[in-house]
Amino acid sequence: MDLYRVLLKSGIKPPPREPTVFQLAPPPIDEHLISVMMPFAANFAGVYTAIQGVAAELGMTCQRADDIWIHTHIIQDVVSLISKAKVVICDLSGRNPNVFYEAGIAHAIGAEVILISQHQTDVPFDLQHIRYINYLPNAEGIVALAANLKRRLQTVTGRS
């Protein structure tokens, strides 16, 4: 006899699982906040600057985990930032494992996620079914990224 199935059929649900690596007690969503998950490498500075500019145009702010230090453990800052943001932007360029982990957390908690990438090959199989913004890592490409990102943010936030 499968006790789990018996309990489910009787209407008794098991308690929800809680993460053991970080606390998932989301604060209220900040309607003006965009969290950005991306590599902290210098060659991404222009991309982050463009995202900040788009956010400002829409009356929003954006933050990365390196912009804050609230908790002793960085993963808690990352999770808090993801959970309180209206939108989470994840740059998959370079296949950074941290960004994939953060995108997974954002998807798991039901956040609005916008994926961006410099190369189609940086989008792993498990995420290829999700639309993403492709951009080139040059001045013209970053201008196009900003325009595309602004349109997508306007759609998901209702801002203009």
Side-chain angles (χ1 to χ4, degrees):
M1 175 177 288
D2 185 344
L3 181 59
Y4 186 77
R5 286 182 192 237
V6 170
L7 291 173
L8 281 177
K9 284 183 181 180
S10 68
I12 299 172
K13 295 181 182 178
R17 290 197 272 178
E18 301 261 339
T20 58
V21 178
F22 50 79
Q23 293 180 345
L24 194 58
I29 292 175
D30 181 343
E31 297 290 324
H32 302 284
L33 180 63
I34 298 169
S35 67
V36 181
M37 304 295 129
M38 66 188 313
F40 296 148
N43 57 325
F44 285 89
V47 176
Y48 188 49
T49 299
I51 295 170
Q52 288 174 310
V54 170
E57 285 179 40
L58 297 175
M60 301 179 80
T61 59
C62 63
Q63 289 184 322
R64 297 189 311 189
D66 62 334
D67 292 332
I68 58 175
W69 186 352
I70 298 168
H71 300 94
T72 304
H73 301 281
I74 190 166
I75 190 61
Q76 188 60 56
D77 280 337
V78 169
V79 171
S80 295
L81 183 59
I82 290 170
S83 65
K84 71 180 182 180
K86 173 73 175 170
V87 178
V88 179
I89 297 173
C90 297
D91 192 333
L92 307 178
S93 302
R95 294 184 151 247
N96 183 298
N98 293 340
V99 175
F100 290 143
Y101 184 70
E102 294 154 357
I105 291 169
H107 282 133
I109 66 171
E112 182 68 52
V113 179
I114 298 175
L115 302 175
I116 65 175
S117 182
Q118 293 177 8
H119 304 285
Q120 160 181 343
T121 56
D122 286 339
V123 181
F125 174 78
D126 289 348
L127 296 176
Q128 288 176 2
H129 69 283
I130 301 171
R131 291 183 176 166
Y132 63 94
I133 298 171
N134 193 31
Y135 71 96
L136 296 173
N138 58 33
E140 185 178 322
I142 291 175
V143 168
L145 168 65
N148 290 328
L149 193 54
K150 183 177 181 181
R151 280 193 297 277
R152 184 65 188 141
L153 284 166
Q154 287 172 321
T155 299
V156 299
T157 65
R159 294 172 177 264
S160 52

